[in-house]
Amino acid sequence: MINCLRLLFIFLFLPLSLLAEEQPWQVFKSTHFLVFYKGAKEPQLNELTERAEEYYNKITDDLGFARFNFWTWDDRAKIYLSDSQEEYRQLTGDPDWSAGHAQAGSKLIYTFITAPGFLDNVLAHEMAHIIFREMVGFNNPAVPLWLDEGVASFQEKKFSFVKADLADRIRQGDFLSLEDLGKVDVANLTETGRAELFYAESFSLVRYLIDTFGKDRFVLFCQNLRDYKDLRRALALTYSFGSLAEFESSWKKYILQ
Ligand SMILES: [Zn+2]
C-alpha cells in the first residue's frame, strides 16, 4: 500500500516538479548585459539593467578603466536572476548568507530577485569583483581575498559598517589580523558573525587606502599589483609601507582614531 501511494505520489507530482525545473531562461539585453530570467517582469528588468549600466560606468571610472569600451556585443556580462534563493543556492552552492555570486573569468553573476539589497548592494558588489579582476588579472596570486572583497564591498551603496564597532573589536583583540584575513576561505565561512567581521575588515582596509591616499593612488596600487604580482611590493611602491605589519598597524591607527 505504501509503495502504491509512493508511486502515485511520484506519478502525480514528479512531472510537475520537472516542468518547474525545466522552465527555460529568457534573455533581456542592454548595452553591457544579458540578463537571464524566468519570472521577473519587464519593469524589474528595466530597473536592473539601468542600475547595472550606472554601476558599470562608476566602477570602471573608480578603477581607472573608463577609457576602454568593453563588455559589449558578444562580450557582455551575464546576470542569472533566479526567482528564489533556493534555486540560486542550487546553482551556486553558496552558504545561507550569500545573496550574490560572481565568476569573474566568465563574467557571470548569479543572484535572486528577492535578495536583500539586491539593486543597491549585491549588483554593484558582484560587478566590482569582475571589473577589479579584469584590472589586476584573473589568475593573479598576489591578490588576497580581503582585497577582492574589500573592493567589491566598497562599491555597495549601503555597506553596513560601523567604525566604532571595529575599533572595539581591535581594542579587545577580537579581530582578524591581515595574516588571518589571508587564510579565510569564503566558501567555508558559514557562520554569519564571522562572515560579517571578515567583510567589515576587508571593506575598511580598502576604505582606509582610498580615504587616506586618494582614488588615483588606489588605481596605481591596482596597476602595481597587476604588473608585479606581489602584494608587499605593490604596497611599498604605491604607499611606501615597509611591510605588511606596517600596513596593518597604520590601518589600525586609522580605525582607532
Ligand atoms: Zn564578494
Side-chain angles (χ1 to χ4, degrees):
M1 189 60 194
I2 290 173
N3 281 340
C4 285
L5 273 178
R6 194 178 288 159
L7 269 176
L8 185 67
F9 178 86
I10 290 170
F11 179 73
L12 281 176
F13 295 99
L14 192 64
L16 275 179
S17 64
L18 274 178
L19 269 182
E21 277 173 22
E22 280 173 4
Q23 189 189 348
W25 293 98
Q26 303 193 66
V27 193
F28 187 89
K29 297 174 181 175
S30 72
T31 311
H32 300 102
F33 299 88
L34 298 175
V35 182
F36 293 84
Y37 69 100
K38 290 179 179 175
K41 302 282 177 278
E42 201 178 324
Q44 281 175 309
L45 295 163
N46 274 323
E47 194 181 4
L48 163 59
T49 46
E50 269 167 33
R51 294 290 287 276
E53 294 292 342
E54 267 172 41
Y55 291 137
Y56 175 84
N57 289 328
K58 181 177 182 298
I59 300 167
T60 50
D61 186 44
D62 279 0
L63 294 176
F65 252 29
R67 64 188 181 281
F68 299 104
N69 189 23
F70 60 150
W71 287 30
T72 48
W73 303 106
D74 291 343
D75 205 25
R76 282 181 273 204
K78 297 183 179 74
I79 301 174
Y80 277 87
L81 184 62
S82 292
D83 288 340
S84 67
Q85 181 171 19
E86 201 186 325
E87 187 185 65
Y88 162 80
R89 287 188 56 198
Q90 278 171 10
L91 282 172
T92 61
D94 272 6
D96 274 350
W97 51 264
S98 165
H101 184 111
Q103 280 174 18
S106 37
K107 282 214 288 285
L108 273 170
I109 291 173
Y110 295 94
T111 184
F112 51 101
I113 295 181
T114 52
F118 166 57
L119 287 177
D120 283 340
N121 296 341
V122 177
L123 187 58
H125 181 109
E126 303 307 333
M127 283 178 59
H129 272 310
I130 299 175
I131 295 170
F132 176 63
R133 275 292 169 173
E134 288 189 324
M135 171 79 171
V136 295
F138 293 113
N139 298 312
N140 187 339
V143 180
L145 187 64
W146 64 259
L147 184 57
D148 240 326
E149 293 302 339
V151 167
S153 303
F154 192 77
Q155 290 297 337
E156 293 183 23
K157 272 224 159 109
K158 296 171 185 161
F159 185 80
S160 68
F161 167 69
V162 183
K163 200 173 171 187
D165 289 350
L166 189 51
D168 281 346
R169 296 194 73 145
I170 288 177
R171 276 188 208 101
Q172 290 156 16
D174 181 23
F175 71 105
L176 300 160
S177 67
L178 263 190
E179 204 188 325
D180 296 336
L181 284 175
K183 291 179 196 151
V184 168
D185 175 359
V186 170
N188 296 327
L189 211 56
T190 45
E191 200 190 312
T192 310
R194 235 35 205 167
E196 271 169 16
L197 179 63
F198 168 76
Y199 281 97
E201 289 195 30
S202 301
F203 168 86
S204 77
L205 281 157
V206 169
R207 182 152 147 186
Y208 158 63
L209 290 176
I210 294 176
D211 276 3
T212 312
F213 307 99
K215 217 163 77 174
D216 291 349
R217 189 70 70 96
F218 191 77
V219 171
L220 182 64
F221 172 55
C222 295
Q223 288 166 345
N224 282 329
L225 260 180
R226 176 195 63 197
D227 296 344
Y228 298 105
K229 296 187 171 51
D230 182 332
L231 178 65
R232 280 161 220 267
R233 191 159 174 203
L235 282 167
L237 281 171
T238 324
Y239 298 110
S240 306
F241 290 126
S243 63
L244 286 182
E246 201 178 298
F247 170 48
E248 180 174 315
S249 75
S250 170
W251 161 72
K252 279 199 271 187
K253 258 185 231 153
Y254 159 85
I255 295 293
L256 292 170
Q257 79 193 358

